[in-house]
Amino acid sequence: MRNLLAAPVLAASFALPLASPAFADWAQTEAEAKGQTVYFNAWGGDPRTNAFIDWVSDQMQEKYGVTVEQVKLSDTAEAVSRVQAEKAAGKDEGGAVDLIWINGPNFLAMKEAGLLHGPFVSDLPNAKYLDLSEGSAATTDFTVPTEGYESPWRLAKFAFAYDAERVSDPPKDMAGLLDWAKAHPGRFTHPNPSNFMGASFLKQALVELAPDPAALAQPVTDEAYAKETAPLWAWYDALRPLMRREGKSFPENESVQAQLLADGEVDFAMFFDPAAPAAMIEQGVLPPSVRVWVPEGGTIGNISYVAIPYNAAHQAGAELVANFLLDPATQAHMQDIRVLGSFSVLDPAKLDADAKQAFADLPTAPALPTLDDLGPTLPEPHPSWMTKLTEDWAQRYTK
């Protein structure tokens, strides 16, 4: 999810405990959860997501007597560091973090350090709507098998947005983006790679330009890094001086870049939610002429998950929240562009007629792409690539 870990990854010591007998019976889990307050540690930079979590809290209180309090993070690593500190202090129960919105390097760090509760996903009644077959998207996080230690809740996929009144023929690929920038100097930029979205832009370019994309699925080595990133940096060296402010300063995050697009200062924005532009048009943030563009070869994508720390004070309540997030009615509500517009993580083949109709009844919009429009979903590189890539970018362009 958001950004890189500040703390070092601990040595691999992860074992696979059996599911807790206390949670084997779901009715018992519901009874145990009643009255609990679940502290949901989630990135707080998106007002729509914050509002959705508020709605979840209302629903959980009404249906189960469980309160959900969002702990708004600027970086997921803050929650990971908190659990690491509690582990170091010997606080193995009653921890402050109950549920974390997580994926990528943060999940890998917690998994390797044995800081996660579970496996619990197969205990969730609504897991029956997921494709949990080996190697499926819902069982893999940035090439790392989830093994039931985190539960999916929203689909993320990289996409560009552009203003069709200013860009009549968007590029077909990253090479085409460089050609476009040559013809329109100063009209393109990307978020700072210290931010998740800026790093995702670099990863998208790397996946497309690497000589052997399959090598990116393995933990990075110095030799592989030098070989696979050489075309990326040659491309970026050519692109950078053509960017806004000659590539010497960058928007802080995707929200700032979206505002630059709305203000006409640049012609592109980028998101990890293909429905975000349609939702932002609905809210009046972006002009109605904005559309979504993805490279012809596809874009990187992943699933966002929730995980429960091993020492969470309210594990039963956290499991109930994870299960509620997988309810078809919740997923349909979340996919509504008036709410979040996030594409569902459920397997359509596993839905009954009523659930399928709930999705079919959702509103459409000119800026809302279909799954066919989005093309192939390309696998994320192993988390170690993201860390090295952003460190290298900072060394090359900010020193």
Side-chain angles (χ1 to χ4, degrees), residues 119-292:
F120 68 93
V121 174
S122 61
D123 294 338
L124 306 179
N126 288 330
K128 65 183 179 183
Y129 300 116
L130 294 170
D131 176 5
L132 295 177
S133 59
E134 185 176 354
S136 66
T139 63
T140 307
D141 185 350
F142 287 70
T143 74
V144 177
T146 62
E147 298 177 317
Y149 285 89
E150 57 179 0
S151 178
W153 73 290
R154 60 191 290 186
L155 181 66
K157 196 172 190 299
F158 185 84
F160 290 96
Y162 67 100
D163 192 324
E165 289 192 349
R166 299 197 298 268
V167 179
S168 58
D169 188 19
K172 307 297 184 189
D173 51 26
M174 289 302 181
L177 177 60
L178 175 57
D179 292 337
W180 186 92
K182 290 177 180 176
H184 306 85
R187 302 296 300 171
F188 179 82
T189 190
H190 61 79
N192 192 307
S194 63
N195 172 266
F196 169 80
M197 187 53 58
S200 295
F201 171 70
L202 292 182
K203 287 191 295 180
Q204 172 65 33
L206 174 63
V207 168
E208 184 173 325
L209 299 172
D212 179 16
L216 307 178
Q218 303 301 318
V220 67
T221 65
D222 289 343
E223 182 181 1
Y225 183 82
K227 175 185 175 185
E228 301 303 330
T229 62
L232 167 70
W233 297 127
W235 171 83
Y236 193 86
D237 284 342
L239 177 65
R240 184 187 175 214
L242 302 169
M243 294 186 193
R244 175 178 178 264
R245 297 180 178 176
E246 299 179 335
K248 295 177 180 175
S249 65
F250 299 88
E252 179 182 352
N253 53 45
E254 66 191 85
S255 298
V256 175
Q257 178 147 353
Q259 191 60 53
L260 292 176
L261 175 64
D263 294 342
E265 289 196 39
V266 297
D267 292 328
F268 293 90
M270 54 195 73
F271 301 92
F272 227 97
D273 176 359
M280 296 178 80
I281 292 171
E282 180 81 12
Q283 297 163 353
V285 176
L286 291 177
S289 51
V290 166
R291 295 292 182 270
V292 169

Side-chain angles (χ1 to χ4, degrees), residues 5-367:
L5 278 171
V9 174
L10 301 181
S13 60
F14 197 68
L16 300 180
L18 298 174
S20 169
F23 294 162
D25 182 87
W26 192 248
Q28 182 179 342
T29 302
E30 290 185 342
E32 185 177 341
K34 191 170 184 177
Q36 290 186 347
T37 296
V38 175
Y39 292 94
F40 187 179
N41 287 241
W43 180 64
D46 178 16
R48 294 180 306 145
T49 299
N50 298 341
F52 174 75
I53 293 175
D54 286 343
W55 175 82
V56 169
S57 182
D58 291 342
Q59 295 292 308
M60 291 297 299
Q61 182 57 239
E62 179 180 334
K63 296 177 184 296
Y64 305 106
V66 173
T67 300
V68 178
E69 289 280 352
Q70 182 183 3
V71 179
K72 295 177 181 175
L73 307 175
S74 59
D75 191 316
T76 304
E78 297 168 14
V80 178
S81 297
R82 192 169 298 135
V83 178
Q84 289 173 327
E86 289 176 345
K87 173 82 170 181
K91 190 177 179 61
D92 293 328
E93 57 184 20
V97 180
D98 292 318
L99 193 66
I100 309 176
W101 175 8
I102 195 169
N103 66 3
N106 292 300
F107 171 70
L108 178 63
M110 293 194 75
K111 184 183 179 190
E112 289 187 334
L115 297 177
L116 294 173
H117 162 70
F120 68 93
V121 174
S122 61
D123 294 338
L124 306 179
N126 288 330
K128 65 183 179 183
Y129 300 116
L130 294 170
D131 176 5
L132 295 177
S133 59
E134 185 176 354
S136 66
T139 63
T140 307
D141 185 350
F142 287 70
T143 74
V144 177
T146 62
E147 298 177 317
Y149 285 89
E150 57 179 0
S151 178
W153 73 290
R154 60 191 290 186
L155 181 66
K157 196 172 190 299
F158 185 84
F160 290 96
Y162 67 100
D163 192 324
E165 289 192 349
R166 299 197 298 268
V167 179
S168 58
D169 188 19
K172 307 297 184 189
D173 51 26
M174 289 302 181
L177 177 60
L178 175 57
D179 292 337
W180 186 92
K182 290 177 180 176
H184 306 85
R187 302 296 300 171
F188 179 82
T189 190
H190 61 79
N192 192 307
S194 63
N195 172 266
F196 169 80
M197 187 53 58
S200 295
F201 171 70
L202 292 182
K203 287 191 295 180
Q204 172 65 33
L206 174 63
V207 168
E208 184 173 325
L209 299 172
D212 179 16
L216 307 178
Q218 303 301 318
V220 67
T221 65
D222 289 343
E223 182 181 1
Y225 183 82
K227 175 185 175 185
E228 301 303 330
T229 62
L232 167 70
W233 297 127
W235 171 83
Y236 193 86
D237 284 342
L239 177 65
R240 184 187 175 214
L242 302 169
M243 294 186 193
R244 175 178 178 264
R245 297 180 178 176
E246 299 179 335
K248 295 177 180 175
S249 65
F250 299 88
E252 179 182 352
N253 53 45
E254 66 191 85
S255 298
V256 175
Q257 178 147 353
Q259 191 60 53
L260 292 176
L261 175 64
D263 294 342
E265 289 196 39
V266 297
D267 292 328
F268 293 90
M270 54 195 73
F271 301 92
F272 227 97
D273 176 359
M280 296 178 80
I281 292 171
E282 180 81 12
Q283 297 163 353
V285 176
L286 291 177
S289 51
V290 166
R291 295 292 182 270
V292 169
W293 158 62
V294 295
E296 288 184 342
T299 57
I300 56 174
N302 63 65
I303 288 177
S304 288
Y305 295 86
V306 289
I308 304 169
Y310 82 104
N311 65 341
H314 308 108
Q315 291 180 348
E319 287 200 357
L320 248 67
V321 176
N323 187 62
F324 177 77
L325 292 172
L326 291 176
D327 189 299
T330 304
Q331 289 280 310
H333 180 73
M334 187 166 59
Q335 190 168 311
D336 190 329
I337 61 169
R338 297 166 298 186
V339 181
L340 271 183
S342 294
F343 287 88
S344 173
V345 297
L346 305 183
D347 182 351
K350 296 181 181 295
L351 301 179
D352 59 27
D354 289 343
K356 289 180 180 178
Q357 191 60 47
F359 284 97
D361 290 341
L362 292 174
T364 60

